[in-house]
Amino acid sequence: MSSGPGDVGASERWLPPHSPTGLVVQTVEMHTGGEPLRIIPRLEAAEAVGRALSLLPLRREVAATQDHVRRALMHEPRGHAGMYGAVVVRGEAATDGAHLAVLFLHCAGYSTMCGHAVLALGRFALDYGLVAAPSCPETAVRLRCPCGPITAFVPWDGHCSGNPVRFRSVPAFAVTTDLAIDVPGHGKVVVDIGYGGAFYAFLSAKQLGLDVCSSKTKDLVNAASAVTETVKKQFKLHHPESEDLAFLYGTILTDGKDAFSEEPTTNICVFADEQVDRSPTGSGVTARIALQYHKGLIQLNQARTFRSSITGSFFTGKAVQETKFGEYNAVIVEVSGEAFYTGTATFTVEEEDPLKYGFFFK
């Protein structure tokens, strides 16, 4: 007979042998467009410092003192090279009217924004009672992310959440367009750089002699990673609010179809340490729409569909409002997609395990 989530004694009896002072973490597992999300509803060590720190300083503190948790849950044998996670944060970081704050985890570290995670967390917030009084047919869920406040809009039927979920971004903007760089092994190419809660470089795969829809994923990953490293060396990023946010997160290779069309446009996002997003990438879609709007290729409220070259899953997105962000002309972008539950898990650690905090290889 299985135990319920409130039956602590029975749940403990079902756990395998583990160190009394070791890690025991319960998670909720989801995916959005094929990209996994391992939600950690409570991380007591983060909560303890979260009562006194805002989100960006908390992100630095968790990276410095709790990184073994990220490695244990993102890396093998509990995770894999494409794993992604989110820590729900309470305390000071979740104030200012937000229903929850969140830290994003991946195999190489901590990101500043994650659209696929926000779409999933919107559902999670309703189904797990983080919103006191959800409203039908849709509930606004306010999140604080390291990049700033985000609002997700989640279908609610009075009993459980549904799809599609949409969110409205922090101000998104074009950083630079037609930046010429010399990529080792590929020669001179031209890239655009956009911000959608994280910074990305964009270019058509064709410039690198590849096809985003038919080339081998390994070749796309290697080429995108070379672009990322080149941009990092040749272009300095600046964020209007915090230098903690001023780093290139990855490169997105596209099919080159940037002008408005009702047909989907396909891309692949390679971020962090050659990690591949299985979804169309929510923050990447946000930045790409900001670039298209900046170039006059789309208008306000003109929706586009974005397809992942990995899974074929879709996000839709549109610029809904002009705004200013520091020195940048920016837009608020709305992104929509579908998130699904895949299960729950309880992870444990045995102190004598030499691989207790995981291992990672490419």
Side-chain angles (χ1 to χ4, degrees), residues 119-206:
L119 294 170
L121 286 164
R123 292 197 63 192
F124 169 83
L126 295 190
D127 296 322
Y128 282 79
L130 275 64
V131 179
S135 57
C136 298
E138 184 180 71
T139 297
V141 178
R142 296 180 298 277
L143 303 93
R144 291 200 65 81
C145 302
C147 65
I150 303 285
T151 301
F153 300 89
V154 187
W156 178 252
D157 66 4
H159 302 283
C160 64
S161 67
N163 282 302
V165 180
R166 56 193 176 95
F167 72 83
R168 292 203 170 181
S169 71
V170 294
F173 53 87
V175 177
T176 188
T177 58
D178 300 323
L179 175 69
I181 60 173
D182 193 352
V183 182
H186 296 279
K188 287 183 168 37
V189 300
V190 175
V191 304
D192 298 335
I193 301 176
Y195 178 78
F199 290 95
Y200 295 94
F202 294 84
L203 73 162
S204 68
K206 186 177 181 180

Coordinates of all heavy atoms in Angstrom, one line a residue, residues 119-206:
L119 N 6.4 28.5 -17.6 CA 5.1 27.9 -18.1 C 4.7 26.7 -17.2 O 3.5 26.6 -16.8 CB 5.2 27.5 -19.5 CG 5.4 28.6 -20.6 CD1 5.8 28.0 -21.9 CD2 4.2 29.5 -20.7
A120 N 5.7 25.9 -16.8 CA 5.4 24.8 -16.0 C 5.1 25.2 -14.5 O 4.1 24.7 -13.9 CB 6.6 23.8 -16.0
L121 N 5.8 26.2 -14.0 CA 5.6 26.6 -12.7 C 4.3 27.3 -12.5 O 3.7 27.3 -11.4 CB 6.8 27.6 -12.3 CG 8.1 26.9 -12.0 CD1 9.2 28.0 -12.0 CD2 8.1 26.2 -10.6
G122 N 3.8 27.9 -13.5 CA 2.4 28.5 -13.5 C 1.4 27.4 -13.1 O 0.6 27.6 -12.2
R123 N 1.5 26.3 -13.7 CA 0.6 25.2 -13.4 C 0.8 24.7 -12.0 O -0.1 24.5 -11.2 CB 0.7 24.0 -14.4 CG 0.2 24.3 -15.8 CD 0.0 23.0 -16.6 NE -1.0 22.2 -16.0 CZ -1.3 21.0 -16.3 NH1 -0.5 20.3 -17.2 NH2 -2.3 20.3 -15.7
F124 N 2.1 24.5 -11.7 CA 2.5 24.0 -10.4 C 2.0 24.9 -9.3 O 1.5 24.4 -8.2 CB 4.0 23.9 -10.3 CG 4.6 23.6 -8.9 CD1 4.6 22.3 -8.4 CD2 5.0 24.6 -8.1 CE1 5.1 22.0 -7.2 CE2 5.5 24.4 -6.9 CZ 5.6 23.1 -6.4
A125 N 2.1 26.2 -9.4 CA 1.6 27.1 -8.4 C 0.2 26.9 -8.1 O -0.3 27.0 -6.9 CB 1.9 28.5 -8.8
L126 N -0.7 26.7 -9.1 CA -2.1 26.5 -8.8 C -2.4 25.1 -8.2 O -3.1 25.0 -7.2 CB -2.9 26.7 -10.1 CG -2.8 28.0 -10.8 CD1 -3.9 28.1 -12.0 CD2 -3.1 29.1 -9.8
D127 N -1.8 24.1 -8.8 CA -2.1 22.7 -8.4 C -1.6 22.4 -7.0 O -2.1 21.5 -6.3 CB -1.6 21.7 -9.4 CG -2.3 21.9 -10.7 OD1 -3.5 22.1 -10.8 OD2 -1.6 21.7 -11.8
Y128 N -0.5 23.1 -6.6 CA 0.1 22.8 -5.3 C -0.2 23.9 -4.2 O 0.4 24.0 -3.2 CB 1.6 22.6 -5.4 CG 1.9 21.2 -5.9 CD1 1.7 20.9 -7.3 CD2 2.3 20.2 -5.1 CE1 2.0 19.6 -7.8 CE2 2.5 18.9 -5.5 CZ 2.4 18.6 -6.9 OH 2.6 17.4 -7.4
G129 N -1.3 24.8 -4.5 CA -1.8 25.7 -3.5 C -1.0 26.9 -3.2 O -1.2 27.5 -2.2
L130 N -0.1 27.3 -4.1 CA 0.7 28.5 -3.9 C -0.1 29.8 -4.2 O 0.3 30.9 -3.8 CB 2.0 28.5 -4.7 CG 3.2 27.8 -4.1 CD1 2.9 26.3 -3.9 CD2 4.4 28.0 -4.9
V131 N -1.2 29.7 -4.9 CA -2.1 30.8 -5.1 C -3.4 30.6 -4.3 O -4.1 29.5 -4.4 CB -2.5 30.9 -6.6 CG1 -3.4 32.1 -6.8 CG2 -1.2 31.1 -7.4
A132 N -3.7 31.5 -3.4 CA -4.7 31.3 -2.4 C -6.1 31.1 -3.0 O -6.8 30.2 -2.6 CB -4.7 32.4 -1.4
A133 N -6.4 31.9 -4.0 CA -7.8 31.8 -4.5 C -7.8 31.9 -6.0 O -8.0 33.0 -6.6 CB -8.6 32.9 -3.9
P134 N -7.5 30.8 -6.7 CA -7.4 30.8 -8.2 C -8.8 31.2 -8.7 O -9.8 30.9 -8.1 CB -7.1 29.4 -8.5 CG -6.5 28.8 -7.3 CD -7.1 29.5 -6.2
S135 N -8.8 31.8 -9.9 CA -10.0 32.2 -10.5 C -10.2 31.5 -11.8 O -9.3 31.2 -12.5 CB -10.0 33.8 -10.7 OG -8.9 34.2 -11.5
C136 N -11.5 31.3 -12.2 CA -11.8 30.7 -13.5 C -12.2 31.8 -14.5 O -12.7 32.8 -14.1 CB -13.0 29.8 -13.3 SG -12.8 28.4 -12.2
P137 N -11.9 31.6 -15.8 CA -11.2 30.4 -16.4 C -9.7 30.5 -16.4 O -9.1 29.6 -16.9 CB -11.8 30.4 -17.8 CG -12.0 31.9 -18.1 CD -12.4 32.6 -16.8
E138 N -9.1 31.6 -15.9 CA -7.7 31.8 -16.0 C -7.2 32.6 -14.7 O -7.9 33.5 -14.3 CB -7.3 32.6 -17.2 CG -5.9 32.8 -17.5 CD -5.6 33.6 -18.8 OE1 -5.8 34.8 -18.8 OE2 -5.1 33.0 -19.7
T139 N -6.1 32.2 -14.2 CA -5.5 32.8 -13.0 C -4.1 33.4 -13.4 O -3.3 32.7 -14.0 CB -5.3 31.8 -11.9 OG1 -6.6 31.3 -11.5 CG2 -4.7 32.4 -10.7
A140 N -3.9 34.6 -12.9 CA -2.6 35.2 -13.1 C -1.7 34.8 -11.9 O -2.1 34.9 -10.7 CB -2.7 36.8 -13.1
V141 N -0.5 34.2 -12.2 CA 0.5 33.8 -11.2 C 1.7 34.7 -11.4 O 2.3 34.7 -12.4 CB 0.9 32.3 -11.5 CG1 1.9 31.9 -10.5 CG2 -0.4 31.4 -11.4
R142 N 2.0 35.3 -10.3 CA 3.1 36.3 -10.3 C 4.4 35.6 -9.7 O 4.4 35.1 -8.6 CB 2.8 37.5 -9.5 CG 1.6 38.3 -10.1 CD 1.2 39.5 -9.3 NE 0.8 39.2 -7.9 CZ -0.4 38.8 -7.6 NH1 -1.4 38.7 -8.5 NH2 -0.7 38.6 -6.3
L143 N 5.4 35.6 -10.5 CA 6.7 35.0 -10.2 C 7.8 36.1 -10.1 O 7.8 37.0 -10.9 CB 7.1 33.9 -11.2 CG 6.2 32.7 -11.4 CD1 5.3 33.0 -12.6 CD2 7.0 31.5 -11.7
R144 N 8.7 35.9 -9.2 CA 9.9 36.7 -9.2 C 11.1 35.7 -9.7 O 11.4 34.7 -9.1 CB 10.2 37.2 -7.8 CG 9.3 38.3 -7.4 CD 9.8 39.2 -6.3 NE 11.0 40.0 -6.8 CZ 10.9 41.1 -7.5 NH1 9.7 41.6 -7.8 NH2 11.9 41.8 -7.9
C145 N 11.7 36.1 -10.8 CA 12.8 35.4 -11.4 C 14.1 36.3 -11.2 O 14.0 37.5 -10.9 CB 12.6 35.1 -12.8 SG 11.1 34.2 -13.2
P146 N 15.2 35.7 -11.3 CA 16.4 36.5 -11.1 C 16.5 37.7 -12.1 O 17.0 38.7 -11.7 CB 17.6 35.5 -11.4 CG 17.0 34.2 -11.0 CD 15.5 34.2 -11.3
C147 N 15.9 37.6 -13.2 CA 15.9 38.7 -14.2 C 14.8 39.7 -13.9 O 14.8 40.8 -14.4 CB 15.7 38.2 -15.6 SG 14.1 37.4 -15.9
G148 N 13.8 39.4 -13.0 CA 12.8 40.4 -12.7 C 11.4 39.7 -12.6 O 11.3 38.5 -12.6
P149 N 10.4 40.5 -12.4 CA 9.0 39.9 -12.2 C 8.4 39.4 -13.5 O 8.5 40.1 -14.6 CB 8.2 41.1 -11.7 CG 8.9 42.3 -12.2 CD 10.4 41.9 -12.2
I150 N 7.8 38.3 -13.5 CA 7.1 37.6 -14.6 C 5.7 37.2 -14.2 O 5.5 36.8 -13.1 CB 7.9 36.4 -15.1 CG1 9.3 36.7 -15.4 CG2 7.2 35.7 -16.2 CD1 9.6 37.4 -16.7
T151 N 4.8 37.4 -15.1 CA 3.4 37.0 -14.8 C 3.0 35.9 -15.8 O 3.1 36.0 -17.0 CB 2.4 38.1 -14.9 OG1 2.7 39.1 -14.0 CG2 1.0 37.6 -14.6
A152 N 2.6 34.7 -15.2 CA 2.0 33.6 -16.0 C 0.5 33.6 -15.9 O 0.0 34.0 -14.9 CB 2.6 32.3 -15.6
F153 N -0.1 33.3 -17.0 CA -1.6 33.2 -17.0 C -2.0 31.7 -17.3 O -1.6 31.2 -18.4 CB -2.1 34.1 -18.1 CG -1.8 35.6 -17.9 CD1 -0.6 36.1 -18.4 CD2 -2.6 36.4 -17.1 CE1 -0.2 37.4 -18.2 CE2 -2.2 37.7 -16.9 CZ -1.1 38.2 -17.4
V154 N -2.7 31.1 -16.4 CA -2.9 29.7 -16.3 C -4.3 29.3 -16.4 O -5.1 29.8 -15.5 CB -2.2 29.1 -15.1 CG1 -2.2 27.5 -15.2 CG2 -0.8 29.6 -14.9
P155 N -4.8 28.5 -17.3 CA -6.2 28.0 -17.3 C -6.5 27.3 -15.9 O -5.7 26.5 -15.5 CB -6.3 27.1 -18.4 CG -5.2 27.5 -19.4 CD -4.1 28.0 -18.5
W156 N -7.7 27.6 -15.4 CA -8.1 26.9 -14.1 C -9.6 26.6 -14.2 O -10.4 27.5 -14.5 CB -7.8 27.9 -12.9 CG -8.2 27.4 -11.6 CD1 -9.3 27.9 -10.8 CD2 -7.6 26.4 -10.8 NE1 -9.3 27.2 -9.7 CE2 -8.3 26.2 -9.6 CE3 -6.5 25.5 -11.0 CZ2 -8.0 25.3 -8.6 CZ3 -6.2 24.6 -10.0 CH2 -6.9 24.5 -8.9
D157 N -9.9 25.4 -14.0 CA -11.3 25.0 -14.1 C -12.0 24.8 -12.7 O -13.1 24.3 -12.6 CB -11.5 23.6 -14.9 CG -10.8 22.5 -14.1 OD1 -10.4 22.6 -13.0 OD2 -10.8 21.3 -14.7
G158 N -11.4 25.3 -11.7 CA -11.9 25.1 -10.3 C -11.3 24.0 -9.6 O -11.5 23.9 -8.4
H159 N -10.7 23.1 -10.3 CA -10.1 21.9 -9.7 C -8.6 21.7 -10.0 O -7.8 21.3 -9.1 CB -10.9 20.6 -10.1 CG -12.3 20.7 -9.7 ND1 -12.8 20.5 -8.5 CD2 -13.4 20.9 -10.5 CE1 -14.1 20.6 -8.5 NE2 -14.5 20.9 -9.7
C160 N -8.3 21.9 -11.2 CA -6.9 21.8 -11.6 C -6.5 22.7 -12.8 O -7.4 23.2 -13.4 CB -6.5 20.3 -12.0 SG -7.4 19.7 -13.4
S161 N -5.2 22.9 -13.0 CA -4.7 23.7 -14.0 C -4.8 23.0 -15.4 O -5.0 21.8 -15.5 CB -3.3 24.2 -13.7 OG -2.4 23.1 -13.8
G162 N -4.6 23.8 -16.4 CA -4.6 23.3 -17.8 C -3.7 24.0 -18.7 O -2.9 24.8 -18.3
N163 N -3.8 23.7 -20.0 CA -3.0 24.3 -21.0 C -3.9 25.0 -22.1 O -5.1 24.7 -22.2 CB -2.2 23.2 -21.7 CG -1.0 22.8 -20.9 OD1 -0.1 23.6 -20.5 ND2 -0.9 21.5 -20.5
P164 N -3.3 25.9 -22.9 CA -1.9 26.4 -22.8 C -1.7 27.4 -21.8 O -2.7 28.1 -21.4 CB -1.7 27.0 -24.2 CG -3.1 27.4 -24.6 CD -4.0 26.4 -24.1
V165 N -0.5 27.5 -21.3 CA -0.1 28.6 -20.3 C 0.6 29.7 -21.1 O 1.3 29.4 -22.1 CB 0.8 28.0 -19.2 CG1 1.2 29.1 -18.2 CG2 0.1 26.9 -18.5
R166 N 0.5 30.9 -20.7 CA 1.2 32.0 -21.3 C 1.9 32.8 -20.3 O 1.5 32.8 -19.1 CB 0.3 32.8 -22.2 CG -0.9 33.4 -21.5 CD -1.9 34.0 -22.5 NE -3.1 34.5 -21.8 CZ -3.3 35.8 -21.4 NH1 -2.4 36.7 -21.7 NH2 -4.4 36.1 -20.7
F167 N 3.0 33.5 -20.6 CA 3.6 34.4 -19.7 C 4.0 35.7 -20.4 O 4.2 35.7 -21.6 CB 4.8 33.8 -19.0 CG 6.0 33.7 -19.8 CD1 6.9 34.7 -20.1 CD2 6.3 32.4 -20.4 CE1 8.0 34.6 -20.9 CE2 7.5 32.3 -21.2 CZ 8.3 33.4 -21.4
R168 N 4.1 36.8 -19.6 CA 4.5 38.1 -20.1 C 5.9 38.4 -19.5 O 6.1 38.2 -18.3 CB 3.6 39.2 -19.8 CG 2.3 39.0 -20.6 CD 1.5 40.3 -20.8 NE 0.4 40.0 -21.8 CZ -0.5 41.0 -22.2 NH1 -0.3 42.2 -21.7 NH2 -1.4 40.7 -23.1
S169 N 6.8 38.7 -20.4 CA 8.2 38.8 -20.1 C 8.6 40.1 -19.4 O 7.9 41.0 -19.3 CB 9.1 38.7 -21.4 OG 8.9 39.9 -22.1
V170 N 9.9 40.1 -18.9 CA 10.5 41.3 -18.5 C 10.8 42.1 -19.8 O 10.7 41.5 -20.9 CB 11.8 41.1 -17.8 CG1 11.6 40.4 -16.4 CG2 12.8 40.2 -18.6
P171 N 11.1 43.4 -19.8 CA 11.4 44.1 -21.0 C 12.5 43.4 -21.8 O 13.5 43.0 -21.3 CB 11.9 45.4 -20.5 CG 11.2 45.6 -19.2 CD 11.2 44.3 -18.6
A172 N 12.2 43.1 -23.1 CA 13.1 42.4 -24.0 C 13.6 43.4 -25.1 O 12.8 44.3 -25.5 CB 12.4 41.2 -24.7
F173 N 14.8 43.2 -25.5 CA 15.4 44.3 -26.4 C 16.5 43.7 -27.3 O 17.1 42.6 -27.0 CB 15.9 45.5 -25.7 CG 16.9 45.1 -24.6 CD1 18.2 45.0 -24.8 CD2 16.5 44.9 -23.3 CE1 19.2 44.7 -23.9 CE2 17.4 44.6 -22.2 CZ 18.7 44.5 -22.5
A174 N 16.7 44.4 -28.4 CA 17.8 44.1 -29.3 C 19.0 44.8 -28.8 O 19.0 46.0 -28.5 CB 17.5 44.6 -30.7
V175 N 20.1 44.0 -28.6 CA 21.4 44.6 -28.1 C 22.2 45.1 -29.3 O 22.6 46.2 -29.3 CB 22.2 43.5 -27.3 CG1 23.5 44.0 -26.9 CG2 21.4 43.0 -26.2
T176 N 22.3 44.3 -30.3 CA 23.0 44.7 -31.5 C 22.6 43.8 -32.6 O 22.2 42.6 -32.4 CB 24.6 44.6 -31.3 OG1 25.2 45.2 -32.5 CG2 25.1 43.2 -31.2
T177 N 22.7 44.3 -33.8 CA 22.3 43.5 -35.0 C 23.5 43.5 -36.0 O 24.3 44.5 -36.0 CB 21.1 44.0 -35.7 OG1 21.2 45.4 -36.1 CG2 19.9 43.9 -34.8
D178 N 23.6 42.5 -36.8 CA 24.6 42.4 -37.9 C 26.0 42.6 -37.3 O 26.8 43.3 -37.9 CB 24.3 43.4 -39.0 CG 22.9 43.2 -39.6 OD1 22.5 42.1 -39.8 OD2 22.3 44.2 -39.9
L179 N 26.3 41.9 -36.2 CA 27.6 41.9 -35.6 C 28.5 40.9 -36.3 O 28.2 39.7 -36.3 CB 27.5 41.6 -34.1 CG 28.9 41.5 -33.4 CD1 29.6 42.8 -33.3 CD2 28.7 40.9 -32.0
A180 N 29.6 41.4 -37.0 CA 30.5 40.4 -37.7 C 31.5 39.8 -36.7 O 32.1 40.5 -36.0 CB 31.2 41.2 -38.8
I181 N 31.5 38.5 -36.7 CA 32.5 37.8 -35.9 C 33.2 36.7 -36.8 O 32.7 36.3 -37.8 CB 31.9 37.1 -34.7 CG1 30.8 36.1 -35.1 CG2 31.3 38.2 -33.7 CD1 30.2 35.3 -34.0
D182 N 34.4 36.3 -36.3 CA 35.2 35.3 -37.1 C 35.2 34.1 -36.2 O 35.9 34.0 -35.2 CB 36.6 35.8 -37.3 CG 37.3 35.0 -38.3 OD1 36.8 33.9 -38.7 OD2 38.4 35.4 -38.7
V183 N 34.4 33.0 -36.6 CA 34.3 31.8 -35.8 C 35.3 30.8 -36.3 O 35.3 30.4 -37.4 CB 32.8 31.3 -35.9 CG1 32.7 30.0 -35.1 CG2 31.8 32.3 -35.6
P184 N 36.2 30.3 -35.4 CA 37.1 29.3 -35.8 C 36.4 28.1 -36.4 O 35.5 27.5 -35.9 CB 37.8 28.9 -34.4 CG 37.6 30.1 -33.6 CD 36.3 30.7 -34.0
G185 N 37.0 27.7 -37.6 CA 36.4 26.5 -38.3 C 35.2 26.9 -39.2 O 34.8 26.0 -40.0
H186 N 34.7 28.1 -39.1 CA 33.6 28.5 -39.9 C 33.7 29.8 -40.6 O 33.0 30.1 -41.5 CB 32.3 28.6 -39.0 CG 31.9 27.3 -38.4 ND1 31.2 26.3 -39.0 CD2 32.2 26.8 -37.1 CE1 31.0 25.3 -38.2 NE2 31.6 25.5 -37.1
G187 N 34.7 30.6 -40.2 CA 35.0 31.8 -40.9 C 34.1 33.0 -40.4 O 33.5 32.9 -39.3
K188 N 33.9 34.0 -41.2 CA 33.1 35.2 -40.8 C 31.6 34.9 -40.9 O 31.2 34.4 -42.0 CB 33.6 36.4 -41.7 CG 34.9 36.9 -41.3 CD 35.3 38.1 -42.2 CE 36.5 38.9 -41.6 NZ 37.6 38.0 -41.1
V189 N 30.9 35.3 -39.9 CA 29.5 35.2 -39.9 C 28.9 36.5 -39.3 O 29.7 37.2 -38.7 CB 28.9 34.0 -39.1 CG1 29.4 32.7 -39.8 CG2 29.3 34.0 -37.7
V190 N 27.6 36.7 -39.4 CA 27.0 37.9 -38.8 C 25.9 37.4 -37.9 O 25.1 36.5 -38.2 CB 26.4 38.7 -39.9 CG1 25.6 39.9 -39.3 CG2 27.5 39.3 -40.9
V191 N 25.9 37.9 -36.6 CA 25.0 37.5 -35.6 C 24.2 38.7 -35.1 O 24.7 39.9 -35.2 CB 25.7 36.8 -34.4 CG1 26.5 35.6 -34.9 CG2 26.6 37.8 -33.6
D192 N 23.0 38.5 -34.6 CA 22.3 39.4 -33.8 C 22.3 39.0 -32.3 O 22.4 37.8 -32.0 CB 20.8 39.5 -34.2 CG 20.6 39.9 -35.7 OD1 21.5 40.6 -36.2 OD2 19.6 39.6 -36.3
I193 N 22.3 39.9 -31.4 CA 22.2 39.6 -30.0 C 21.0 40.2 -29.4 O 20.7 41.4 -29.6 CB 23.5 40.1 -29.2 CG1 24.7 39.4 -29.8 CG2 23.4 39.7 -27.7 CD1 26.0 39.9 -29.2
G194 N 20.2 39.4 -28.7 CA 18.9 39.9 -28.1 C 18.8 39.5 -26.7 O 19.5 38.5 -26.2
Y195 N 18.0 40.2 -25.9 CA 17.8 39.9 -24.5 C 16.3 39.6 -24.3 O 15.4 40.3 -24.7 CB 18.2 41.1 -23.6 CG 18.0 40.9 -22.1 CD1 18.8 40.1 -21.4 CD2 16.8 41.4 -21.5 CE1 18.6 39.9 -20.0 CE2 16.6 41.2 -20.1 CZ 17.5 40.5 -19.4 OH 17.3 40.3 -18.1
G196 N 16.0 38.4 -23.6 CA 14.7 38.1 -23.2 C 14.6 37.5 -21.8 O 13.9 36.6 -21.5
G197 N 15.4 38.2 -20.9 CA 15.6 37.7 -19.6 C 16.9 37.0 -19.4 O 17.5 36.8 -18.4
A198 N 17.5 36.6 -20.6 CA 18.9 36.2 -20.7 C 19.3 36.6 -22.1 O 18.5 36.9 -23.0 CB 19.0 34.6 -20.6
F199 N 20.6 36.7 -22.3 CA 21.2 37.2 -23.6 C 21.5 36.0 -24.5 O 22.1 35.0 -24.0 CB 22.5 38.0 -23.3 CG 22.3 39.3 -22.7 CD1 22.4 39.5 -21.3 CD2 22.0 40.4 -23.5 CE1 22.2 40.7 -20.7 CE2 21.8 41.7 -22.9 CZ 22.0 41.8 -21.5
Y200 N 21.2 36.1 -25.8 CA 21.4 35.1 -26.7 C 22.0 35.7 -28.0 O 21.6 36.8 -28.4 CB 20.2 34.3 -27.1 CG 19.5 33.5 -26.1 CD1 18.5 34.1 -25.3 CD2 19.9 32.2 -25.8 CE1 17.9 33.3 -24.3 CE2 19.3 31.4 -24.8 CZ 18.3 32.0 -24.0 OH 17.7 31.3 -23.1
A201 N 22.9 34.9 -28.7 CA 23.3 35.3 -30.0 C 22.4 34.5 -31.0 O 22.1 33.3 -30.7 CB 24.7 34.9 -30.3
F202 N 22.0 35.1 -32.1 CA 21.2 34.5 -33.1 C 21.8 34.5 -34.5 O 22.3 35.6 -34.9 CB 19.8 35.2 -33.2 CG 19.0 35.1 -32.0 CD1 19.1 35.9 -30.9 CD2 18.0 34.1 -31.9 CE1 18.3 35.8 -29.8 CE2 17.2 34.0 -30.7 CZ 17.4 34.9 -29.7
L203 N 21.7 33.5 -35.2 CA 22.1 33.5 -36.6 C 21.5 32.3 -37.3 O 21.1 31.3 -36.7 CB 23.6 33.5 -36.8 CG 24.4 32.2 -36.5 CD1 25.8 32.2 -37.2 CD2 24.5 31.9 -35.0
S204 N 21.4 32.3 -38.6 CA 20.8 31.2 -39.4 C 21.9 30.1 -39.4 O 23.1 30.4 -39.6 CB 20.4 31.6 -40.8 OG 21.6 32.0 -41.5
A205 N 21.5 28.9 -39.3 CA 22.4 27.8 -39.4 C 23.1 27.7 -40.8 O 24.2 27.2 -40.9 CB 21.7 26.5 -39.1
K206 N 22.4 28.3 -41.8 CA 23.0 28.3 -43.1 C 24.3 29.0 -43.2 O 25.2 28.6 -44.0 CB 22.0 28.9 -44.1 CG 22.3 28.9 -45.5 CD 21.3 29.4 -46.4 CE 21.6 29.4 -47.9 NZ 20.6 29.9 -48.8

